[in-house]
């Protein structure tokens, strides 16, 4: 039996990597309760505030595709230091913004830096661990990282209630600075087999093209990418729906986001048992049906003027509960092969999720109507497109006993 017990050195790297990944998520979450107040401070509108979320996601999407190959060529440590430094500096610059133009610019550049958190934190762990140990640690890693979306919005809500919106970015900058120092002092280079050709344009295009051409990857990645937008769109619209339309405080909004994260964790715990009973494909289908039902109920409730905080959150909970059933199984389908190209597959998969989040969060900013309507339409659109992808790609391939190329 292989030894799955962590050494002290591996535990140190795991904790630091986990916190770094959490800081990337926190860069999106901690300031969400402040969006209506930033809007007033910068004398702008809701569309620009929603665009700030989209630009952060656009920055992470663009940089994720670069940091992986860059770290294969030059090593994880210098690339991680660069990304964390950029994210830290722009956190402090963002709090000094006095115009919407500078605020949006800094959020985009902050996303460019934060992309390193999403890319290299997991890569460093895979450098150190293999086999059963990696599989065991990956499950703990995923669960522990879920703490950030649990706590960050609630903390951000209290900060906004007690201080000013700028303090959220100051706290974020301090956290990233501490992690940067810890990484420099306590983490050594983990890429012991640097590839001088890894960052060549030809090599990158070749690997990424190969990955995208695999139908089962494309189907799983599209469904997972669409699903990831479920969380992002509520993050984009939720502050305005709860604080402006329904007239609740930033603290209530922060705890509403925290409760959503709890539902996600519950669903992640239940998901393996449902998958074992139904199989991966039917579990994806079950999750997509839940999301469609949530969107339809939300839209009907709005049309009948029946939406209050309780009914809003119930519909959101239904959609969010179904999301891990979709995401975890779609990811397993998408990444279940690619021996020798797993890094490229992970980069394409992860960047696709951020790209989808950017597209949908930018799209909902075009609505001038109630935030509840675009939220409901997003749930319906995402589930419908995913169902089409499921039946035209996933169901056909799996029914033919598809083999990877």
């Amino acid at each position: 039996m292989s030894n799955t017990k962590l050494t002290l050195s591996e535990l140190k790297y795991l904790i630091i990597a986990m916190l770094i990944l959490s800081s990337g998520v926190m860069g999106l979450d901690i300031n969400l309760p402040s969006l209506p107040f930033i809007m007033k401070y910068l004398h702008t509108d809701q569309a620009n505030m929603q665009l700030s979320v989209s630009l952060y996601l656009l920055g992470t999407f663009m940089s994720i595709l670069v940091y992986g190959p860059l770290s294969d060529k030059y090593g994880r440590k210098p690339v991680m230091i660069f990304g964390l430094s950029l994210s830290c500096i722009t956190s402090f610059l963002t709090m000094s913004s006095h115009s919407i133009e500078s605020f949006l610019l800094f959020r985009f550049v902050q996303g460019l830096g934060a992309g390193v958190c999403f890319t290299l934190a997991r890569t460093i762990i895979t450098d150190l661990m293999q086999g059963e140990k990696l599989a065991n640690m990956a499950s703990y890693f995923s669960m522990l990282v879920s703490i950030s979306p649990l706590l960050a919005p609630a903390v951000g809500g209290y900060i906004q209630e007690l201080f000013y919106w700028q303090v959220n970015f100051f706290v974020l900058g301090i956290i990233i600075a501490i992690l940067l120092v810890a990484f420099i002092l306590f983490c050594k280079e983990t890429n012991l087999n640097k590839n001088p050709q890894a960052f060549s344009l030809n090599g990158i295009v070749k690997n990424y093209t190969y990955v995208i051409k695999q139908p089962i990857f494309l189907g799983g990645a599209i469904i997972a990418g669409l699903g990831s937008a479920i969380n992002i769109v509520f993050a984009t619209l939720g502050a305005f729906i709860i604080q402006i339309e329904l007239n609740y405080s930033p603290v209530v909004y922060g705890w509403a986001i925290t409760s959503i994260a709890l539902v996600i964790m519950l669903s992640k715990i239940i998901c393996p048992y449902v998958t074992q009973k139904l199989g991966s494909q039917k579990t994806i289908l079950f999750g997509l049906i839940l999301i469609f039902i949530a969107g339809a109920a939300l839209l009907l409730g709005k049309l009948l003027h029946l939406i209050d905080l309780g009914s809003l959150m119930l519909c959101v909970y239904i959609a969010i509960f179904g999301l891990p059933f979709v995401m975890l199984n779609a990811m397993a389908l998408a990444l279940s092969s690619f021996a020798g190209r797993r890094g490229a597959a992970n980069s394409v998969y992860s960047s696709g999720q951020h790209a989808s989040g950017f597209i949908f969060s930018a799209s909902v900013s075009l609505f001038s109507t109630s935030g509840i309507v675009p939220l409901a339409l997003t749930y319906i659109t995402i589930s419908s497109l995913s169902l089409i992808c499921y039946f035209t790609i996933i169901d056909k391939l799996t029914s033919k006993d598809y083999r990877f190329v």
Side-chain angles (χ1 to χ4, degrees):
M1 181 180 292
S2 59
N3 181 18
T4 59
K5 186 176 180 181
L6 284 178
T7 65
L8 287 176
S9 177
E10 288 170 339
L11 180 61
K12 173 186 67 177
Y13 279 92
L14 180 66
I15 291 172
I16 293 176
M18 176 195 72
L19 293 174
I20 287 173
L21 179 55
S22 295
S23 73
V25 180
M26 189 179 295
L28 180 65
D29 289 336
I30 195 170
N31 68 92
L32 292 177
S34 298
L35 290 181
F37 300 89
I38 301 173
M39 179 179 69
K40 293 179 182 178
Y41 181 87
L42 298 178
H43 305 291
T44 186
D45 56 21
Q46 181 175 331
N48 276 322
M49 285 296 95
Q50 292 167 187
L51 183 60
S52 71
V53 176
S54 304
L55 288 175
Y56 182 85
L57 291 168
L58 178 62
T60 59
F61 154 64
M62 293 173 63
S63 61
I64 280 172
L65 290 172
V66 175
Y67 284 134
L70 199 63
S71 72
D72 285 340
K73 181 174 182 177
Y74 295 107
R76 317 295 185 215
K77 190 161 186 175
V79 177
M80 179 69 84
I81 290 172
F82 171 80
L84 288 177
S85 299
L86 184 61
S87 184
C88 178
I89 291 168
T90 47
S91 291
F92 293 120
L93 289 174
T94 303
M95 63 179 286
S96 67
S97 300
H98 292 290
S99 68
I100 184 59
E101 292 80 12
S102 62
F103 182 81
L104 293 176
L105 174 62
F106 292 144
R107 286 295 281 161
F108 171 68
V109 179
Q110 188 180 22
L112 290 176
V116 81
C117 305
F118 297 100
T119 311
L120 295 192
R122 287 191 177 95
T123 305
I124 287 171
I125 298 305
T126 60
D127 286 339
L128 297 171
M129 305 176 198
Q130 291 81 36
E132 290 182 18
K133 180 181 284 189
L134 177 60
N136 288 342
M137 289 309 105
S139 61
Y140 291 118
F141 193 87
S142 175
M143 192 63 69
L144 290 172
V145 167
S146 299
I147 293 174
S148 177
L150 272 173
L151 298 179
V155 171
Y158 280 109
I159 289 175
Q160 177 61 54
E161 191 81 353
L162 297 173
F163 303 103
Y164 304 98
W165 66 266
Q166 291 92 338
V167 178
N168 273 319
F169 288 101
F170 178 78
V171 170
L172 178 63
I174 292 296
I175 290 172
I176 297 172
I178 292 171
L179 291 173
L180 174 60
V181 172
F183 181 80
I184 292 172
L185 293 178
F186 301 116
C187 294
K188 297 179 180 179
E189 178 58 58
T190 59
N191 182 7
L192 303 180
N193 299 291
K194 298 183 182 70
N195 180 3
Q197 305 303 317
F199 199 60
S200 68
L201 181 60
N202 184 54
I204 293 173
V205 172
K206 183 178 179 181
N207 282 334
Y208 287 169
T209 301
Y210 174 87
V211 169
I212 293 172
K213 282 185 176 180
Q214 306 308 307
I216 198 72
F217 171 84
L218 196 60
I222 288 173
I223 290 175
L226 289 168
S228 68
I230 294 287
N231 271 334
I232 298 301
V233 169
F234 186 78
T236 304
L237 294 172
F240 298 97
I241 294 173
I242 292 176
Q243 295 182 61
I244 294 179
E245 287 190 49
L246 301 180
N247 201 30
Y248 286 91
S249 72
V251 172
V252 172
Y253 167 72
W255 281 110
I257 295 290
T258 297
S259 68
I260 289 173
L262 286 170
V263 171
I264 292 177
M265 290 187 69
L266 175 63
S267 183
K268 283 183 177 180
I269 293 171
I270 296 173
C271 183
Y273 301 100
V274 176
T275 302
Q276 191 174 12
K277 284 281 187 182
L278 300 180
S280 292
Q281 288 75 40
K282 288 184 179 179
T283 303
I284 292 174
L285 189 59
F286 174 65
L288 291 175
I289 291 171
L290 285 179
I291 295 170
F292 183 87
I293 290 171
L298 192 59
L299 183 60
L300 182 62
K302 177 62 179 178
L303 294 175
L304 297 177
H305 306 288
L306 298 176
I307 295 295
D308 56 13
L309 183 60
S311 57
L312 168 71
M313 295 310 299
L314 177 61
C315 292
V316 173
Y317 290 155
I318 293 171
I320 293 298
F321 184 77
L323 187 57
F325 297 154
V326 175
M327 296 287 291
L328 296 178
N329 286 282
M331 179 182 70
L333 287 173
L335 302 177
S336 55
S337 188
F338 301 110
R341 286 186 172 92
R342 199 156 281 135
N346 273 284
S347 291
V348 176
Y349 177 84
S350 182
S351 63
Q353 290 191 47
H354 287 261
S356 179
F358 162 71
I359 291 169
F360 275 92
S361 61
S363 297
V364 297
S365 68
L366 301 176
F367 284 83
S368 58
T369 183
S370 156
I372 296 173
V373 173
L375 180 65
L377 292 177
T378 298
Y379 286 175
I380 293 171
T381 301
I382 285 175
S383 56
S384 298
L385 290 175
S386 296
L387 284 167
I388 292 171
C389 182
Y390 173 87
F391 285 112
T392 56
I393 300 179
I394 301 296
D395 191 51
K396 284 186 177 181
L397 289 175
T398 52
S399 65
K400 292 178 180 178
D401 193 25
Y402 179 77
R403 293 289 183 266
F404 290 99
V405 179

